Amino acid sequence: MLELLVIIPFVLLAAAGLAREYSFWRGGGGGHVQTCRKISVVIPMRGVHAATEDNLRALTSQKVSTEVEYVFVVDSAADPAYEVARRYGRVLLSEGEGKSAALATALRNVSGDCVVFADDDIRPGPHWLTEMTAPLSSYTAVTTYRWYLGRGLCHKVRLAISNMGFPAMLDKRSRFVWGGSTAFRRDFAEKTRLADRLPRYVSDDYAVYSAIKEQGGGIWFAKGAIAPTPDPDCKLGEAFWWGVRQILMVKWHAPAGWYAGLVIYTLGFLLSVALPAAGLLTGDRWLLAGLALHPINLFKDAVRARGVRKHAGVPISPATVAATWAVGNFVIPLAVWTSAFVKCVNWRGRRICRQ
């Protein structure tokens, strides 16, 4: 009976999360008017992969009603990305090491009054750039999120860990900026000296986010700009450690959020997986109470997938939703627990350590 009393608050919390998810995706896109005169899209690159050319074609084929320049930043002219990028826009050589330094280099050289940071591994729809910039008429910054496309266990692992960020995006109080697609006005970057700030941060996302918060700015989440991200070369071990690195960025830059996640995912695993398994083995039916969390969380994931499909046109099958949910019950807690013991990571060509 005690197990049932313990599980009730978690069931109510899960139900509240489901209601919030439904309410968020039910809403519209905001109806913002484009006020950017020229947009500078900044894309740092290092190397090329199987999906690079198709991704760059999608990024540079946007349907937008204003002038656009595409600025690519690479480490050196010897990088294979250099020649590929030259076919799609202007190419700069980075003035420092890592992605943040590349973005800083671009900020000192762009000419648009609106700036968009984008990753080269996304393959956005044709209206992505409009969705990313029109809300700047009312907000300090605009961001969105990615949705990984692929098959097999590796894809489900990466998608499950990546989608951990979605709940924070639903509420403007917890919303952050995702560096793979973030937009702001150039005068904001100049006012906050963002080009000088970026190299001081391990994560470019947090460099931009901290500048926005210091200015008391607002962040709009562009549902219609959610970026499909093909992952044809996914490797299981790399996908897991990629996830650990993502969680470490939270641990290092927002430790309170990391500790909250550690508690939530540990208790969630205990109540919905470990104790029910013990109940099946011992015949104690009260230990099975945590199974009530599963249909709520699965339905929540289905609501999210339906919203992404509706607003961004990303094809997501029910089988993908169910498989990702099942994998996430195990891989997400494991990645969170692993992040508690990892002190060093290889991040975009740099080895970074924190005590």
Side-chain angles (χ1 to χ4, degrees), residues 43 49-62 88 118-129 144-150 178 180-181 224-233 312-315:
I43 306 170
H49 47 82
T52 297
E53 290 266 15
D54 288 337
N55 295 345
L56 296 189
R57 276 192 286 269
L59 282 161
T60 57
S61 302
Q62 294 295 302
Y88 296 93
D119 284 348
D120 68 340
D121 62 348
I122 64 172
R123 192 176 299 172
H127 301 289
W128 165 81
L129 193 54
T144 188
Y145 212 55
R146 71 163 83 243
W147 191 280
Y148 277 103
L149 303 178
W178 170 58
S181 289
I226 291 173
T229 305
D231 195 15
D233 301 322
V314 180

mmCIF file of all heavy atoms in Angstrom, residues 43 49-62 88 118-129 144-150 178 180-181 224-233 312-315:
data_model
loop_
_atom_site.group_PDB
_atom_site.id
_atom_site.type_symbol
_atom_site.label_atom_id
_atom_site.label_comp_id
_atom_site.label_asym_id
_atom_site.label_seq_id
_atom_site.Cartn_x
_atom_site.Cartn_y
_atom_site.Cartn_z
ATOM 1 N N ILE A 43 26.983 29.179 -40.590
ATOM 2 C CA ILE A 43 27.055 27.719 -40.488
ATOM 3 C C ILE A 43 28.509 27.300 -40.296
ATOM 4 O O ILE A 43 29.296 27.300 -41.251
ATOM 5 C CB ILE A 43 26.483 27.053 -41.756
ATOM 6 C CG1 ILE A 43 25.064 27.567 -42.038
ATOM 7 C CG2 ILE A 43 26.488 25.526 -41.602
ATOM 8 C CD1 ILE A 43 24.516 27.151 -43.382
ATOM 9 N N HIS A 49 30.224 14.782 -44.310
ATOM 10 C CA HIS A 49 29.676 13.445 -44.063
ATOM 11 C C HIS A 49 28.651 13.134 -45.130
ATOM 12 O O HIS A 49 28.394 13.963 -46.030
ATOM 13 C CB HIS A 49 29.061 13.363 -42.662
ATOM 14 C CG HIS A 49 28.165 14.507 -42.314
ATOM 15 N ND1 HIS A 49 26.854 14.562 -42.724
ATOM 16 C CD2 HIS A 49 28.392 15.645 -41.614
ATOM 17 C CE1 HIS A 49 26.294 15.680 -42.282
ATOM 18 N NE2 HIS A 49 27.210 16.361 -41.604
ATOM 19 N N ALA A 50 28.049 11.989 -45.054
ATOM 20 C CA ALA A 50 27.183 11.503 -46.136
ATOM 21 C C ALA A 50 26.019 12.436 -46.443
ATOM 22 O O ALA A 50 25.568 12.527 -47.588
ATOM 23 C CB ALA A 50 26.663 10.105 -45.784
ATOM 24 N N ALA A 51 25.518 13.133 -45.433
ATOM 25 C CA ALA A 51 24.330 13.973 -45.629
ATOM 26 C C ALA A 51 24.650 15.452 -45.859
ATOM 27 O O ALA A 51 23.735 16.250 -46.043
ATOM 28 C CB ALA A 51 23.405 13.826 -44.413
ATOM 29 N N THR A 52 25.926 15.820 -45.867
ATOM 30 C CA THR A 52 26.296 17.233 -45.894
ATOM 31 C C THR A 52 25.713 17.988 -47.086
ATOM 32 O O THR A 52 25.094 19.053 -46.934
ATOM 33 C CB THR A 52 27.830 17.396 -45.884
ATOM 34 O OG1 THR A 52 28.349 16.868 -44.666
ATOM 35 C CG2 THR A 52 28.210 18.867 -45.982
ATOM 36 N N GLU A 53 25.922 17.485 -48.291
ATOM 37 C CA GLU A 53 25.475 18.206 -49.492
ATOM 38 C C GLU A 53 23.962 18.405 -49.490
ATOM 39 O O GLU A 53 23.468 19.503 -49.779
ATOM 40 C CB GLU A 53 25.911 17.459 -50.749
ATOM 41 C CG GLU A 53 27.403 17.490 -51.007
ATOM 42 C CD GLU A 53 27.807 18.632 -51.934
ATOM 43 O OE1 GLU A 53 26.990 19.548 -52.150
ATOM 44 O OE2 GLU A 53 28.942 18.602 -52.434
ATOM 45 N N ASP A 54 23.200 17.371 -49.162
ATOM 46 C CA ASP A 54 21.740 17.496 -49.127
ATOM 47 C C ASP A 54 21.311 18.488 -48.052
ATOM 48 O O ASP A 54 20.364 19.266 -48.249
ATOM 49 C CB ASP A 54 21.088 16.142 -48.871
ATOM 50 C CG ASP A 54 21.179 15.215 -50.080
ATOM 51 O OD1 ASP A 54 21.334 15.734 -51.211
ATOM 52 O OD2 ASP A 54 21.116 13.992 -49.895
ATOM 53 N N ASN A 55 22.007 18.491 -46.928
ATOM 54 C CA ASN A 55 21.678 19.439 -45.862
ATOM 55 C C ASN A 55 21.932 20.875 -46.305
ATOM 56 O O ASN A 55 21.106 21.772 -46.069
ATOM 57 C CB ASN A 55 22.498 19.135 -44.604
ATOM 58 C CG ASN A 55 22.151 17.794 -43.985
ATOM 59 O OD1 ASN A 55 21.138 17.191 -44.307
ATOM 60 N ND2 ASN A 55 23.007 17.326 -43.095
ATOM 61 N N LEU A 56 23.073 21.112 -46.931
ATOM 62 C CA LEU A 56 23.400 22.477 -47.366
ATOM 63 C C LEU A 56 22.450 22.953 -48.451
ATOM 64 O O LEU A 56 22.103 24.139 -48.498
ATOM 65 C CB LEU A 56 24.852 22.540 -47.856
ATOM 66 C CG LEU A 56 25.937 22.246 -46.813
ATOM 67 C CD1 LEU A 56 27.312 22.556 -47.388
ATOM 68 C CD2 LEU A 56 25.707 23.026 -45.530
ATOM 69 N N ARG A 57 22.030 22.049 -49.320
ATOM 70 C CA ARG A 57 21.044 22.441 -50.335
ATOM 71 C C ARG A 57 19.735 22.873 -49.685
ATOM 72 O O ARG A 57 19.115 23.856 -50.109
ATOM 73 C CB ARG A 57 20.802 21.290 -51.312
ATOM 74 C CG ARG A 57 21.825 21.215 -52.437
ATOM 75 C CD ARG A 57 21.389 20.252 -53.519
ATOM 76 N NE ARG A 57 21.525 18.875 -53.093
ATOM 77 C CZ ARG A 57 22.621 18.138 -53.283
ATOM 78 N NH1 ARG A 57 23.667 18.668 -53.885
ATOM 79 N NH2 ARG A 57 22.673 16.889 -52.882
ATOM 80 N N ALA A 58 19.321 22.150 -48.645
ATOM 81 C CA ALA A 58 18.087 22.518 -47.942
ATOM 82 C C ALA A 58 18.246 23.853 -47.220
ATOM 83 O O ALA A 58 17.353 24.706 -47.246
ATOM 84 C CB ALA A 58 17.700 21.423 -46.950
ATOM 85 N N LEU A 59 19.390 24.066 -46.597
ATOM 86 C CA LEU A 59 19.638 25.307 -45.854
ATOM 87 C C LEU A 59 19.673 26.517 -46.772
ATOM 88 O O LEU A 59 19.242 27.614 -46.392
ATOM 89 C CB LEU A 59 20.957 25.199 -45.094
ATOM 90 C CG LEU A 59 20.933 24.392 -43.793
ATOM 91 C CD1 LEU A 59 22.339 23.975 -43.384
ATOM 92 C CD2 LEU A 59 20.276 25.208 -42.682
ATOM 93 N N THR A 60 20.191 26.345 -47.984
ATOM 94 C CA THR A 60 20.375 27.488 -48.890
ATOM 95 C C THR A 60 19.266 27.605 -49.935
ATOM 96 O O THR A 60 19.384 28.389 -50.874
ATOM 97 C CB THR A 60 21.739 27.385 -49.597
ATOM 98 O OG1 THR A 60 21.832 26.142 -50.302
ATOM 99 C CG2 THR A 60 22.868 27.479 -48.580
ATOM 100 N N SER A 61 18.205 26.842 -49.774
ATOM 101 C CA SER A 61 17.076 26.894 -50.722
ATOM 102 C C SER A 61 15.796 27.344 -50.022
ATOM 103 O O SER A 61 14.702 26.859 -50.320
ATOM 104 C CB SER A 61 16.861 25.518 -51.366
ATOM 105 O OG SER A 61 18.023 25.080 -52.031
ATOM 106 N N GLN A 62 15.929 28.279 -49.112
ATOM 107 C CA GLN A 62 14.801 28.716 -48.302
ATOM 108 C C GLN A 62 13.887 29.687 -49.050
ATOM 109 O O GLN A 62 14.344 30.506 -49.853
ATOM 110 C CB GLN A 62 15.311 29.383 -47.026
ATOM 111 C CG GLN A 62 16.030 28.434 -46.083
ATOM 112 C CD GLN A 62 15.097 27.376 -45.526
ATOM 113 O OE1 GLN A 62 14.087 27.698 -44.902
ATOM 114 N NE2 GLN A 62 15.431 26.112 -45.745
ATOM 115 N N TYR A 88 28.124 27.084 -51.893
ATOM 116 C CA TYR A 88 26.838 27.517 -51.342
ATOM 117 C C TYR A 88 26.864 28.910 -50.711
ATOM 118 O O TYR A 88 25.805 29.436 -50.365
ATOM 119 C CB TYR A 88 26.372 26.504 -50.295
ATOM 120 C CG TYR A 88 26.097 25.138 -50.880
ATOM 121 C CD1 TYR A 88 27.088 24.157 -50.889
ATOM 122 C CD2 TYR A 88 24.867 24.845 -51.458
ATOM 123 C CE1 TYR A 88 26.845 22.910 -51.434
ATOM 124 C CE2 TYR A 88 24.612 23.601 -52.004
ATOM 125 C CZ TYR A 88 25.607 22.634 -51.993
ATOM 126 O OH TYR A 88 25.362 21.395 -52.553
ATOM 127 N N ALA A 118 23.246 28.160 -37.427
ATOM 128 C CA ALA A 118 22.685 26.866 -37.837
ATOM 129 C C ALA A 118 23.776 25.813 -37.891
ATOM 130 O O ALA A 118 24.924 26.107 -38.258
ATOM 131 C CB ALA A 118 22.005 26.985 -39.200
ATOM 132 N N ASP A 119 23.429 24.583 -37.535
ATOM 133 C CA ASP A 119 24.349 23.455 -37.669
ATOM 134 C C ASP A 119 24.269 22.890 -39.075
ATOM 135 O O ASP A 119 23.206 22.956 -39.725
ATOM 136 C CB ASP A 119 24.003 22.359 -36.657
ATOM 137 C CG ASP A 119 24.439 22.704 -35.243
ATOM 138 O OD1 ASP A 119 25.201 23.686 -35.084
ATOM 139 O OD2 ASP A 119 24.023 21.997 -34.309
ATOM 140 N N ASP A 120 25.360 22.288 -39.543
ATOM 141 C CA ASP A 120 25.370 21.751 -40.901
ATOM 142 C C ASP A 120 24.775 20.352 -40.998
ATOM 143 O O ASP A 120 24.718 19.790 -42.089
ATOM 144 C CB ASP A 120 26.793 21.751 -41.460
ATOM 145 C CG ASP A 120 27.710 20.755 -40.748
ATOM 146 O OD1 ASP A 120 27.390 20.351 -39.612
ATOM 147 O OD2 ASP A 120 28.750 20.381 -41.330
ATOM 148 N N ASP A 121 24.322 19.785 -39.864
ATOM 149 C CA ASP A 121 23.752 18.433 -39.925
ATOM 150 C C ASP A 121 22.232 18.442 -39.989
ATOM 151 O O ASP A 121 21.611 17.378 -40.007
ATOM 152 C CB ASP A 121 24.219 17.586 -38.744
ATOM 153 C CG ASP A 121 23.789 18.137 -37.393
ATOM 154 O OD1 ASP A 121 23.327 19.296 -37.345
ATOM 155 O OD2 ASP A 121 23.916 17.406 -36.378
ATOM 156 N N ILE A 122 21.611 19.625 -40.020
ATOM 157 C CA ILE A 122 20.152 19.686 -40.115
ATOM 158 C C ILE A 122 19.723 19.793 -41.578
ATOM 159 O O ILE A 122 20.471 20.266 -42.424
ATOM 160 C CB ILE A 122 19.573 20.859 -39.299
ATOM 161 C CG1 ILE A 122 20.043 22.211 -39.854
ATOM 162 C CG2 ILE A 122 19.936 20.718 -37.829
ATOM 163 C CD1 ILE A 122 19.359 23.410 -39.215
ATOM 164 N N ARG A 123 18.498 19.339 -41.863
ATOM 165 C CA ARG A 123 17.935 19.428 -43.212
ATOM 166 C C ARG A 123 16.536 20.050 -43.100
ATOM 167 O O ARG A 123 15.522 19.360 -43.177
ATOM 168 C CB ARG A 123 17.875 18.058 -43.879
ATOM 169 C CG ARG A 123 17.567 18.127 -45.376
ATOM 170 C CD ARG A 123 17.624 16.740 -45.997
ATOM 171 N NE ARG A 123 18.946 16.154 -45.858
ATOM 172 C CZ ARG A 123 19.241 14.880 -46.175
ATOM 173 N NH1 ARG A 123 18.280 14.074 -46.623
ATOM 174 N NH2 ARG A 123 20.469 14.418 -46.030
ATOM 175 N N PRO A 124 16.485 21.364 -42.907
ATOM 176 C CA PRO A 124 15.214 22.022 -42.606
ATOM 177 C C PRO A 124 14.285 22.114 -43.809
ATOM 178 O O PRO A 124 14.717 22.025 -44.964
ATOM 179 C CB PRO A 124 15.653 23.415 -42.158
ATOM 180 C CG PRO A 124 16.925 23.653 -42.906
ATOM 181 C CD PRO A 124 17.607 22.315 -42.957
ATOM 182 N N GLY A 125 13.013 22.319 -43.512
ATOM 183 C CA GLY A 125 12.026 22.537 -44.553
ATOM 184 C C GLY A 125 12.193 23.907 -45.190
ATOM 185 O O GLY A 125 12.946 24.752 -44.700
ATOM 186 N N PRO A 126 11.468 24.180 -46.276
ATOM 187 C CA PRO A 126 11.669 25.415 -47.049
ATOM 188 C C PRO A 126 11.276 26.699 -46.336
ATOM 189 O O PRO A 126 11.694 27.785 -46.742
ATOM 190 C CB PRO A 126 10.804 25.188 -48.290
ATOM 191 C CG PRO A 126 9.766 24.188 -47.861
ATOM 192 C CD PRO A 126 10.472 23.293 -46.894
ATOM 193 N N HIS A 127 10.476 26.616 -45.271
ATOM 194 C CA HIS A 127 10.046 27.820 -44.558
ATOM 195 C C HIS A 127 10.770 27.994 -43.216
ATOM 196 O O HIS A 127 10.393 28.846 -42.416
ATOM 197 C CB HIS A 127 8.534 27.770 -44.332
ATOM 198 C CG HIS A 127 7.753 27.663 -45.608
ATOM 199 N ND1 HIS A 127 7.632 28.707 -46.501
ATOM 200 C CD2 HIS A 127 7.061 26.617 -46.143
ATOM 201 C CE1 HIS A 127 6.901 28.320 -47.537
ATOM 202 N NE2 HIS A 127 6.545 27.059 -47.343
ATOM 203 N N TRP A 128 11.803 27.188 -43.006
ATOM 204 C CA TRP A 128 12.570 27.243 -41.750
ATOM 205 C C TRP A 128 13.090 28.646 -41.464
ATOM 206 O O TRP A 128 12.949 29.162 -40.355
ATOM 207 C CB TRP A 128 13.720 26.240 -41.835
ATOM 208 C CG TRP A 128 14.801 26.396 -40.819
ATOM 209 C CD1 TRP A 128 14.796 25.957 -39.522
ATOM 210 C CD2 TRP A 128 16.085 27.011 -41.015
ATOM 211 N NE1 TRP A 128 15.983 26.261 -38.903
ATOM 212 C CE2 TRP A 128 16.790 26.907 -39.794
ATOM 213 C CE3 TRP A 128 16.697 27.639 -42.111
ATOM 214 C CZ2 TRP A 128 18.083 27.415 -39.649
ATOM 215 C CZ3 TRP A 128 17.976 28.133 -41.961
ATOM 216 C CH2 TRP A 128 18.653 28.030 -40.734
ATOM 217 N N LEU A 129 13.683 29.294 -42.461
ATOM 218 C CA LEU A 129 14.322 30.587 -42.222
ATOM 219 C C LEU A 129 13.293 31.664 -41.897
ATOM 220 O O LEU A 129 13.536 32.522 -41.031
ATOM 221 C CB LEU A 129 15.152 30.996 -43.440
ATOM 222 C CG LEU A 129 16.117 32.163 -43.241
ATOM 223 C CD1 LEU A 129 17.037 31.926 -42.057
ATOM 224 C CD2 LEU A 129 16.939 32.402 -44.510
ATOM 225 N N THR A 144 14.541 26.795 -31.955
ATOM 226 C CA THR A 144 13.695 25.637 -32.231
ATOM 227 C C THR A 144 14.431 24.412 -31.705
ATOM 228 O O THR A 144 15.234 24.530 -30.776
ATOM 229 C CB THR A 144 13.364 25.542 -33.733
ATOM 230 O OG1 THR A 144 12.397 24.519 -33.948
ATOM 231 C CG2 THR A 144 14.594 25.265 -34.579
ATOM 232 N N TYR A 145 14.197 23.256 -32.286
ATOM 233 C CA TYR A 145 14.873 22.044 -31.829
ATOM 234 C C TYR A 145 14.978 21.084 -33.006
ATOM 235 O O TYR A 145 14.374 21.317 -34.063
ATOM 236 C CB TYR A 145 14.088 21.416 -30.677
ATOM 237 C CG TYR A 145 14.968 20.693 -29.670
ATOM 238 C CD1 TYR A 145 16.018 21.341 -29.051
ATOM 239 C CD2 TYR A 145 14.739 19.362 -29.342
ATOM 240 C CE1 TYR A 145 16.817 20.697 -28.127
ATOM 241 C CE2 TYR A 145 15.534 18.701 -28.418
ATOM 242 C CZ TYR A 145 16.574 19.383 -27.817
ATOM 243 O OH TYR A 145 17.370 18.739 -26.915
ATOM 244 N N ARG A 146 15.750 20.043 -32.829
ATOM 245 C CA ARG A 146 15.924 19.070 -33.907
ATOM 246 C C ARG A 146 15.080 17.831 -33.656
ATOM 247 O O ARG A 146 14.634 17.572 -32.534
ATOM 248 C CB ARG A 146 17.389 18.687 -34.035
ATOM 249 C CG ARG A 146 17.913 17.844 -32.912
ATOM 250 C CD ARG A 146 19.236 17.172 -33.311
ATOM 251 N NE ARG A 146 20.404 18.024 -33.133
ATOM 252 C CZ ARG A 146 21.175 18.411 -34.121
ATOM 253 N NH1 ARG A 146 20.886 18.065 -35.363
ATOM 254 N NH2 ARG A 146 22.249 19.166 -33.893
ATOM 255 N N TRP A 147 14.875 17.057 -34.746
ATOM 256 C CA TRP A 147 14.246 15.739 -34.636
ATOM 257 C C TRP A 147 15.053 14.781 -35.499
ATOM 258 O O TRP A 147 15.094 14.908 -36.720
ATOM 259 C CB TRP A 147 12.792 15.761 -35.093
ATOM 260 C CG TRP A 147 12.078 14.484 -34.737
ATOM 261 C CD1 TRP A 147 12.144 13.297 -35.405
ATOM 262 C CD2 TRP A 147 11.230 14.264 -33.598
ATOM 263 N NE1 TRP A 147 11.388 12.348 -34.767
ATOM 264 C CE2 TRP A 147 10.808 12.910 -33.651
ATOM 265 C CE3 TRP A 147 10.787 15.072 -32.564
ATOM 266 C CZ2 TRP A 147 9.965 12.359 -32.704
ATOM 267 C CZ3 TRP A 147 9.948 14.523 -31.614
ATOM 268 C CH2 TRP A 147 9.539 13.180 -31.698
ATOM 269 N N TYR A 148 15.723 13.832 -34.852
ATOM 270 C CA TYR A 148 16.589 12.909 -35.581
ATOM 271 C C TYR A 148 15.775 11.930 -36.426
ATOM 272 O O TYR A 148 14.757 11.397 -35.981
ATOM 273 C CB TYR A 148 17.475 12.136 -34.606
ATOM 274 C CG TYR A 148 18.705 12.904 -34.190
ATOM 275 C CD1 TYR A 148 18.768 13.516 -32.943
ATOM 276 C CD2 TYR A 148 19.788 13.042 -35.054
ATOM 277 C CE1 TYR A 148 19.900 14.237 -32.560
ATOM 278 C CE2 TYR A 148 20.907 13.758 -34.687
ATOM 279 C CZ TYR A 148 20.960 14.351 -33.446
ATOM 280 O OH TYR A 148 22.071 15.070 -33.086
ATOM 281 N N LEU A 149 16.261 11.712 -37.638
ATOM 282 C CA LEU A 149 15.659 10.751 -38.550
ATOM 283 C C LEU A 149 16.631 9.590 -38.760
ATOM 284 O O LEU A 149 17.840 9.801 -38.889
ATOM 285 C CB LEU A 149 15.369 11.402 -39.906
ATOM 286 C CG LEU A 149 14.461 12.644 -39.899
ATOM 287 C CD1 LEU A 149 14.321 13.188 -41.310
ATOM 288 C CD2 LEU A 149 13.088 12.309 -39.322
ATOM 289 N N GLY A 150 16.113 8.381 -38.789
ATOM 290 C CA GLY A 150 16.974 7.225 -39.005
ATOM 291 C C GLY A 150 16.268 5.936 -38.644
ATOM 292 O O GLY A 150 15.056 5.918 -38.389
ATOM 293 N N TRP A 178 18.755 26.614 -28.551
ATOM 294 C CA TRP A 178 19.470 25.480 -29.136
ATOM 295 C C TRP A 178 20.361 26.012 -30.258
ATOM 296 O O TRP A 178 19.870 26.611 -31.220
ATOM 297 C CB TRP A 178 18.476 24.448 -29.671
ATOM 298 C CG TRP A 178 19.131 23.378 -30.481
ATOM 299 C CD1 TRP A 178 20.124 22.531 -30.073
ATOM 300 C CD2 TRP A 178 18.846 23.033 -31.833
ATOM 301 N NE1 TRP A 178 20.477 21.692 -31.091
ATOM 302 C CE2 TRP A 178 19.712 21.980 -32.183
ATOM 303 C CE3 TRP A 178 17.940 23.517 -32.789
ATOM 304 C CZ2 TRP A 178 19.699 21.396 -33.453
ATOM 305 C CZ3 TRP A 178 17.921 22.948 -34.043
ATOM 306 C CH2 TRP A 178 18.802 21.881 -34.365
ATOM 307 N N GLY A 180 21.817 24.770 -32.703
ATOM 308 C CA GLY A 180 21.635 24.268 -34.062
ATOM 309 C C GLY A 180 20.717 25.113 -34.901
ATOM 310 O O GLY A 180 20.742 25.042 -36.144
ATOM 311 N N SER A 181 19.892 25.954 -34.279
ATOM 312 C CA SER A 181 19.025 26.916 -34.965
ATOM 313 C C SER A 181 18.629 27.988 -33.962
ATOM 314 O O SER A 181 17.699 27.801 -33.172
ATOM 315 C CB SER A 181 17.759 26.252 -35.528
ATOM 316 O OG SER A 181 18.036 25.424 -36.631
ATOM 317 N N GLY A 224 7.287 25.581 -36.302
ATOM 318 C CA GLY A 224 7.359 25.294 -37.727
ATOM 319 C C GLY A 224 8.775 25.164 -38.254
ATOM 320 O O GLY A 224 8.977 24.789 -39.408
ATOM 321 N N ALA A 225 9.772 25.491 -37.422
ATOM 322 C CA ALA A 225 11.170 25.419 -37.849
ATOM 323 C C ALA A 225 11.890 24.193 -37.310
ATOM 324 O O ALA A 225 13.100 24.045 -37.518
ATOM 325 C CB ALA A 225 11.907 26.685 -37.407
ATOM 326 N N ILE A 226 11.183 23.321 -36.591
ATOM 327 C CA ILE A 226 11.834 22.116 -36.052
ATOM 328 C C ILE A 226 12.575 21.413 -37.187
ATOM 329 O O ILE A 226 12.027 21.183 -38.266
ATOM 330 C CB ILE A 226 10.803 21.190 -35.392
ATOM 331 C CG1 ILE A 226 10.284 21.842 -34.106
ATOM 332 C CG2 ILE A 226 11.410 19.828 -35.081
ATOM 333 C CD1 ILE A 226 9.147 21.108 -33.462
ATOM 334 N N ALA A 227 13.843 21.097 -36.937
ATOM 335 C CA ALA A 227 14.743 20.682 -38.011
ATOM 336 C C ALA A 227 14.930 19.172 -38.086
ATOM 337 O O ALA A 227 15.523 18.584 -37.169
ATOM 338 C CB ALA A 227 16.102 21.360 -37.820
ATOM 339 N N PRO A 228 14.470 18.548 -39.166
ATOM 340 C CA PRO A 228 14.799 17.132 -39.356
ATOM 341 C C PRO A 228 16.314 16.978 -39.444
ATOM 342 O O PRO A 228 16.999 17.781 -40.079
ATOM 343 C CB PRO A 228 14.139 16.796 -40.703
ATOM 344 C CG PRO A 228 13.109 17.870 -40.912
ATOM 345 C CD PRO A 228 13.659 19.093 -40.257
ATOM 346 N N THR A 229 16.842 15.938 -38.806
ATOM 347 C CA THR A 229 18.292 15.741 -38.772
ATOM 348 C C THR A 229 18.615 14.298 -39.149
ATOM 349 O O THR A 229 18.540 13.395 -38.309
ATOM 350 C CB THR A 229 18.857 16.059 -37.372
ATOM 351 O OG1 THR A 229 18.460 17.386 -37.002
ATOM 352 C CG2 THR A 229 20.366 15.965 -37.358
ATOM 353 N N PRO A 230 18.964 14.066 -40.426
ATOM 354 C CA PRO A 230 19.334 12.708 -40.835
ATOM 355 C C PRO A 230 20.613 12.273 -40.127
ATOM 356 O O PRO A 230 21.511 13.079 -39.893
ATOM 357 C CB PRO A 230 19.564 12.850 -42.354
ATOM 358 C CG PRO A 230 18.905 14.142 -42.736
ATOM 359 C CD PRO A 230 19.006 15.033 -41.537
ATOM 360 N N ASP A 231 20.689 11.012 -39.804
ATOM 361 C CA ASP A 231 21.849 10.498 -39.083
ATOM 362 C C ASP A 231 22.281 9.177 -39.713
ATOM 363 O O ASP A 231 22.232 8.121 -39.072
ATOM 364 C CB ASP A 231 21.480 10.316 -37.613
ATOM 365 C CG ASP A 231 22.688 10.132 -36.718
ATOM 366 O OD1 ASP A 231 23.807 10.425 -37.165
ATOM 367 O OD2 ASP A 231 22.512 9.695 -35.567
ATOM 368 N N PRO A 232 22.718 9.220 -40.990
ATOM 369 C CA PRO A 232 22.988 7.964 -41.711
ATOM 370 C C PRO A 232 24.195 7.198 -41.196
ATOM 371 O O PRO A 232 24.302 5.990 -41.416
ATOM 372 C CB PRO A 232 23.225 8.443 -43.154
ATOM 373 C CG PRO A 232 23.718 9.847 -43.009
ATOM 374 C CD PRO A 232 22.963 10.404 -41.829
ATOM 375 N N ASP A 233 25.118 7.876 -40.518
ATOM 376 C CA ASP A 233 26.335 7.217 -40.045
ATOM 377 C C ASP A 233 26.307 6.941 -38.543
ATOM 378 O O ASP A 233 27.356 6.828 -37.901
ATOM 379 C CB ASP A 233 27.558 8.082 -40.373
ATOM 380 C CG ASP A 233 27.698 8.332 -41.866
ATOM 381 O OD1 ASP A 233 27.423 7.401 -42.640
ATOM 382 O OD2 ASP A 233 28.069 9.456 -42.254
ATOM 383 N N ALA A 312 5.817 21.069 -38.379
ATOM 384 C CA ALA A 312 7.056 21.103 -39.157
ATOM 385 C C ALA A 312 7.074 20.106 -40.310
ATOM 386 O O ALA A 312 8.015 20.116 -41.108
ATOM 387 C CB ALA A 312 8.248 20.845 -38.233
ATOM 388 N N GLY A 313 6.052 19.272 -40.413
ATOM 389 C CA GLY A 313 5.987 18.326 -41.519
ATOM 390 C C GLY A 313 7.000 17.200 -41.438
ATOM 391 O O GLY A 313 7.315 16.568 -42.448
ATOM 392 N N VAL A 314 7.526 16.920 -40.245
ATOM 393 C CA VAL A 314 8.513 15.847 -40.088
ATOM 394 C C VAL A 314 7.787 14.501 -40.023
ATOM 395 O O VAL A 314 6.898 14.326 -39.183
ATOM 396 C CB VAL A 314 9.351 16.044 -38.808
ATOM 397 C CG1 VAL A 314 10.376 14.929 -38.667
ATOM 398 C CG2 VAL A 314 10.036 17.409 -38.826
ATOM 399 N N PRO A 315 8.128 13.559 -40.900
ATOM 400 C CA PRO A 315 7.444 12.259 -40.882
ATOM 401 C C PRO A 315 7.878 11.411 -39.696
ATOM 402 O O PRO A 315 9.056 11.080 -39.554
ATOM 403 C CB PRO A 315 7.879 11.622 -42.215
ATOM 404 C CG PRO A 315 9.213 12.243 -42.503
ATOM 405 C CD PRO A 315 9.154 13.644 -41.956
#
